Amino acid sequence: MDTNELLALLVRHREELRQWLDDEQYQHFLAMLERLREAGADAERAAMAVMAVIRSLWPVPDEAGELARLLHVSGRGAAATATVPEEDTLLAALEALYAAPAAEPAPPAPAPEPEPDGPSVADIVAAARRRLLAAPSREAAPAQSPPADVIVLADPDAGRRSPEFQFDPDTGRPLDVVVRINRILLADRDPWGAADWWLGGNSWLGGPPAALLGRVPDDRLADAALALVEEGGR
Protein backbone atom coordinates (compact mmCIF):
# COMPACT_ATOMS: atom_id res chain seq x y z
CA MET A 1 0.00 0.00 0.00
CA ASP A 2 1.53 3.30 -1.05
CA THR A 3 0.98 6.64 0.68
CA ASN A 4 -1.89 7.70 -1.58
CA GLU A 5 -3.72 4.44 -0.82
CA LEU A 6 -3.08 4.94 2.89
CA LEU A 7 -4.62 8.41 2.72
CA ALA A 8 -7.66 7.01 0.89
CA LEU A 9 -8.06 4.39 3.62
CA LEU A 10 -7.91 7.04 6.34
CA VAL A 11 -10.53 9.16 4.60
CA ARG A 12 -12.76 6.13 4.13
CA HIS A 13 -12.57 5.41 7.85
CA ARG A 14 -12.57 9.02 9.09
CA GLU A 15 -15.74 8.60 11.15
CA GLU A 16 -14.34 5.48 12.79
CA LEU A 17 -11.09 7.31 13.55
CA ARG A 18 -13.01 10.11 15.19
CA GLN A 19 -14.91 7.54 17.23
CA TRP A 20 -11.91 5.53 18.43
CA LEU A 21 -9.46 8.40 19.09
CA ASP A 22 -10.06 10.94 21.82
CA ASP A 23 -9.69 14.64 21.03
CA GLU A 24 -6.03 14.84 22.01
CA GLN A 25 -5.12 11.72 20.03
CA TYR A 26 -7.01 12.93 16.96
CA GLN A 27 -5.33 16.34 17.07
CA HIS A 28 -1.93 14.61 17.25
CA PHE A 29 -2.90 12.48 14.24
CA LEU A 30 -3.81 15.64 12.28
CA ALA A 31 -0.52 17.25 13.30
CA MET A 32 1.38 14.26 11.87
CA LEU A 33 -0.57 14.63 8.61
CA GLU A 34 0.47 18.28 8.52
CA ARG A 35 4.06 17.09 8.90
CA LEU A 36 3.51 14.96 5.79
CA ARG A 37 2.17 17.99 3.92
CA GLU A 38 5.17 20.07 4.99
CA ALA A 39 7.54 17.38 3.67
CA GLY A 40 6.50 18.32 0.13
CA ALA A 41 8.51 16.44 -2.50
CA ASP A 42 11.27 15.45 -0.05
CA ALA A 43 11.04 11.64 -0.16
CA GLU A 44 13.08 11.11 3.02
CA ARG A 45 11.00 13.53 5.08
CA ALA A 46 7.81 12.08 3.59
CA ALA A 47 8.84 8.55 4.61
CA MET A 48 9.48 9.64 8.20
CA ALA A 49 6.19 11.55 8.24
CA VAL A 50 4.25 8.51 7.01
CA MET A 51 5.65 6.46 9.89
CA ALA A 52 4.73 9.25 12.32
CA VAL A 53 1.15 9.23 10.96
CA ILE A 54 0.91 5.46 11.45
CA ARG A 55 2.37 5.65 14.94
CA SER A 56 -0.17 8.32 15.89
CA LEU A 57 -2.93 5.80 15.10
CA TRP A 58 -1.69 2.96 17.29
CA PRO A 59 -4.35 3.80 19.95
CA VAL A 60 -6.98 2.52 17.46
CA PRO A 61 -8.29 -0.65 19.17
CA ASP A 62 -8.63 -4.16 17.75
CA GLU A 63 -12.40 -3.66 17.44
CA ALA A 64 -11.85 -1.19 14.58
CA GLY A 65 -11.73 -4.03 12.03
CA GLU A 66 -9.98 -3.35 8.73
CA LEU A 67 -8.26 -0.24 10.04
CA ALA A 68 -6.91 -2.01 13.13
CA ARG A 69 -5.67 -4.96 11.09
CA LEU A 70 -3.62 -2.60 8.93
CA LEU A 71 -2.21 -0.55 11.78
CA HIS A 72 -1.51 -3.42 14.19
CA VAL A 73 0.41 -5.83 11.96
CA SER A 74 2.77 -7.77 14.23
CA GLY A 75 1.66 -5.55 17.11
CA ARG A 76 3.85 -2.69 15.81
CA GLY A 77 1.76 -0.94 13.11
CA ALA A 78 1.61 -1.24 9.35
CA ALA A 79 4.36 -0.01 7.07
CA ALA A 80 3.13 1.97 4.09
CA THR A 81 5.32 2.09 1.03
CA ALA A 82 6.95 5.44 1.60
CA THR A 83 6.07 7.45 -1.48
CA VAL A 84 5.53 11.18 -1.77
CA PRO A 85 1.73 11.65 -1.91
CA GLU A 86 0.03 13.48 -4.72
CA GLU A 87 -0.63 17.03 -3.57
CA ASP A 88 -4.32 16.99 -4.53
CA THR A 89 -4.84 13.67 -2.75
CA LEU A 90 -3.16 14.91 0.42
CA LEU A 91 -5.07 18.21 0.49
CA ALA A 92 -8.39 16.43 -0.09
CA ALA A 93 -7.59 13.97 2.69
CA LEU A 94 -6.70 16.78 5.09
CA GLU A 95 -9.94 18.60 4.29
CA ALA A 96 -12.02 15.47 4.85
CA LEU A 97 -10.24 14.48 8.06
CA TYR A 98 -10.43 17.99 9.54
CA ALA A 99 -14.17 17.97 8.81
CA ALA A 100 -14.79 14.59 10.47
CA PRO A 101 -17.59 14.77 13.07
CA ALA A 102 -16.68 15.07 16.74
CA ALA A 103 -15.94 11.90 18.60
CA GLU A 104 -18.84 10.10 20.24
CA PRO A 105 -18.66 7.49 23.00
CA ALA A 106 -17.53 4.19 21.56
CA PRO A 107 -20.17 1.43 21.46
CA PRO A 108 -19.66 -1.61 23.67
CA ALA A 109 -17.00 -3.86 22.26
CA PRO A 110 -18.32 -7.08 20.69
CA ALA A 111 -17.57 -10.32 22.42
CA PRO A 112 -14.19 -11.65 21.30
CA GLU A 113 -14.28 -14.52 18.86
CA PRO A 114 -12.34 -17.70 19.50
CA GLU A 115 -8.82 -17.55 18.13
CA PRO A 116 -7.69 -21.13 17.60
CA ASP A 117 -4.76 -20.11 15.41
CA GLY A 118 -2.79 -18.36 18.14
CA PRO A 119 -2.68 -15.37 20.50
CA SER A 120 -4.47 -12.14 19.70
CA VAL A 121 -2.71 -8.89 18.88
CA ALA A 122 -3.54 -7.71 22.41
CA ASP A 123 -1.86 -10.81 23.86
CA ILE A 124 1.24 -10.22 21.74
CA VAL A 125 1.46 -6.57 22.77
CA ALA A 126 0.94 -7.43 26.47
CA ALA A 127 3.66 -10.08 26.34
CA ALA A 128 6.07 -7.67 24.64
CA ARG A 129 5.42 -5.03 27.29
CA ARG A 130 6.02 -7.51 30.11
CA ARG A 131 9.35 -8.39 28.51
CA LEU A 132 10.38 -4.74 28.29
CA LEU A 133 9.32 -4.02 31.88
CA ALA A 134 11.41 -6.99 33.07
CA ALA A 135 14.62 -5.24 31.97
CA PRO A 136 16.59 -3.34 34.65
CA SER A 137 15.09 0.08 35.23
CA ARG A 138 14.92 2.97 37.65
CA GLU A 139 12.15 5.22 38.88
CA ALA A 140 11.50 7.84 36.22
CA ALA A 141 12.20 11.47 36.96
CA PRO A 142 9.27 13.90 36.86
CA ALA A 143 8.20 14.92 33.36
CA GLN A 144 10.57 17.47 31.91
CA SER A 145 11.61 19.11 28.65
CA PRO A 146 12.66 17.96 26.14
CA PRO A 147 10.29 15.01 26.60
CA ALA A 148 11.97 12.61 24.14
CA ASP A 149 15.34 12.46 25.95
CA VAL A 150 14.60 9.39 28.08
CA ILE A 151 12.18 6.50 27.54
CA VAL A 152 9.57 6.28 30.30
CA LEU A 153 7.38 3.17 30.51
CA ALA A 154 4.18 2.89 32.52
CA ASP A 155 4.43 -0.18 34.76
CA PRO A 156 1.01 -1.07 36.23
CA ASP A 157 2.73 -2.30 39.40
CA ALA A 158 5.78 -0.06 39.80
CA GLY A 159 4.62 3.17 38.16
CA ARG A 160 6.78 5.22 35.76
CA ARG A 161 10.05 3.44 34.97
CA SER A 162 13.05 4.35 32.81
CA PRO A 163 15.13 1.47 31.39
CA GLU A 164 18.56 1.51 33.04
CA PHE A 165 20.63 1.16 29.84
CA GLN A 166 19.92 4.81 29.02
CA PHE A 167 22.10 6.18 31.83
CA ASP A 168 25.84 6.65 32.37
CA PRO A 169 26.70 4.36 35.33
CA ASP A 170 29.17 6.94 36.70
CA THR A 171 27.20 10.18 36.37
CA GLY A 172 23.64 8.88 36.24
CA ARG A 173 22.92 11.19 33.33
CA PRO A 174 21.39 10.02 30.02
CA LEU A 175 24.02 8.97 27.48
CA ASP A 176 24.33 11.40 24.57
CA VAL A 177 23.85 8.68 21.95
CA VAL A 178 20.73 7.44 23.75
CA VAL A 179 19.22 10.93 23.74
CA ARG A 180 20.09 11.27 20.04
CA ILE A 181 18.49 7.97 19.08
CA ASN A 182 15.43 8.39 21.34
CA ARG A 183 14.62 11.56 19.41
CA ILE A 184 14.98 9.72 16.10
CA LEU A 185 12.60 7.03 17.39
CA LEU A 186 10.06 9.61 18.66
CA ALA A 187 10.35 8.07 22.12
CA ASP A 188 8.08 10.71 23.65
CA ARG A 189 5.23 9.55 21.41
CA ASP A 190 6.04 5.84 21.27
CA PRO A 191 8.10 4.84 24.33
CA TRP A 192 7.20 1.15 23.96
CA GLY A 193 8.34 1.07 20.35
CA ALA A 194 11.59 2.86 21.22
CA ALA A 195 12.24 0.49 24.13
CA ASP A 196 11.54 -2.51 21.89
CA TRP A 197 14.14 -1.26 19.40
CA TRP A 198 16.77 -0.84 22.10
CA LEU A 199 16.09 -4.12 23.92
CA GLY A 200 15.07 -6.37 21.03
CA GLY A 201 17.25 -8.26 18.60
CA ASN A 202 18.69 -6.39 15.63
CA SER A 203 20.01 -8.42 12.69
CA TRP A 204 21.91 -5.46 11.25
CA LEU A 205 23.82 -4.78 14.47
CA GLY A 206 24.08 -8.40 15.55
CA GLY A 207 22.37 -7.99 18.91
CA PRO A 208 20.15 -5.73 21.02
CA PRO A 209 21.33 -2.12 20.56
CA ALA A 210 21.25 -1.52 24.33
CA ALA A 211 23.81 -4.29 24.83
CA LEU A 212 26.09 -2.72 22.22
CA LEU A 213 26.37 0.73 23.81
CA GLY A 214 30.08 1.53 24.11
CA ARG A 215 30.97 -1.53 22.04
CA VAL A 216 30.07 -0.24 18.57
CA PRO A 217 30.41 3.32 17.25
CA ASP A 218 27.58 5.67 18.23
CA ASP A 219 27.05 6.64 14.59
CA ARG A 220 26.43 3.01 13.66
CA LEU A 221 23.72 2.74 16.31
CA ALA A 222 22.15 5.98 15.07
CA ASP A 223 22.26 4.74 11.47
CA ALA A 224 20.40 1.59 12.51
CA ALA A 225 17.69 3.69 14.16
CA LEU A 226 17.38 5.87 11.07
CA ALA A 227 17.06 2.74 8.94
CA LEU A 228 14.04 1.68 11.02
CA VAL A 229 12.35 5.04 10.53
CA GLU A 230 13.16 5.27 6.84
CA GLU A 231 12.18 1.70 5.97
CA GLY A 232 9.01 1.76 8.10
CA GLY A 233 9.78 -1.35 10.14
CA ARG A 234 12.32 -3.97 11.08
Side-chain angles (χ1 to χ4, degrees):
M1 169 178 293
D2 67 19
T3 306
N4 292 312
E5 292 170 330
L6 173 63
L7 291 170
L9 177 74
L10 296 177
V11 170
R12 187 163 70 250
H13 291 283
R14 61 188 180 279
E15 293 186 3
E16 295 173 60
L17 286 173
R18 206 62 185 90
Q19 173 184 336
W20 292 114
L21 299 178
D22 63 29
D23 288 343
E24 182 178 355
Q25 291 167 341
Y26 195 76
Q27 290 304 313
H28 174 58
F29 159 61
L30 293 177
M32 296 304 98
L33 279 174
E34 289 289 354
R35 181 185 295 183
L36 178 58
R37 181 183 62 81
E38 292 167 0
D42 187 323
E44 182 176 354
R45 289 183 61 197
M48 296 180 68
V50 167
M51 285 306 302
V53 169
I54 293 174
R55 287 185 179 193
S56 73
L57 293 172
W58 285 350
V60 171
D62 295 344
E63 292 83 359
E66 176 191 14
L67 191 59
R69 286 194 295 274
L70 171 71
L71 298 173
H72 292 176
V73 169
S74 299
R76 290 280 297 129
T81 302
T83 57
V84 175
E86 297 174 1
E87 184 176 1
D88 291 345
T89 299
L90 177 55
L91 291 177
L94 282 169
E95 181 178 357
L97 291 163
Y98 270 108
E104 297 180 0
E113 297 181 1
E115 297 184 6
D117 294 332
S120 68
V121 169
D123 291 336
I124 294 171
V125 172
R129 291 188 174 187
R130 288 193 297 270
R131 172 177 60 82
L132 297 175
L133 290 171
S137 65
R138 63 175 63 181
E139 183 178 0
Q144 56 185 327
S145 180
D149 282 0
V150 173
I151 296 168
V152 177
L153 304 177
D155 188 325
D157 298 320
R160 288 160 43 88
R161 307 294 297 178
S162 288
E164 188 66 33
F165 72 83
Q166 302 177 101
F167 303 95
D168 186 310
D170 296 323
T171 67
R173 296 179 60 82
L175 296 165
D176 290 342
V177 65
V178 168
V179 170
R180 175 183 172 190
I181 291 174
N182 282 348
R183 291 175 178 172
I184 292 172
L185 298 175
L186 302 177
D188 56 332
R189 296 291 182 184
D190 179 24
W192 295 104
D196 185 52
W197 183 85
W198 278 109
L199 296 168
N202 188 298
S203 58
W204 192 37
L205 294 171
L212 300 176
L213 286 166
R215 297 170 54 192
V216 303
D218 291 353
D219 285 345
R220 188 178 178 201
L221 292 173
D223 287 344
L226 282 170
L228 169 69
V229 174
E230 292 170 356
E231 295 173 9
R234 288 185 175 77

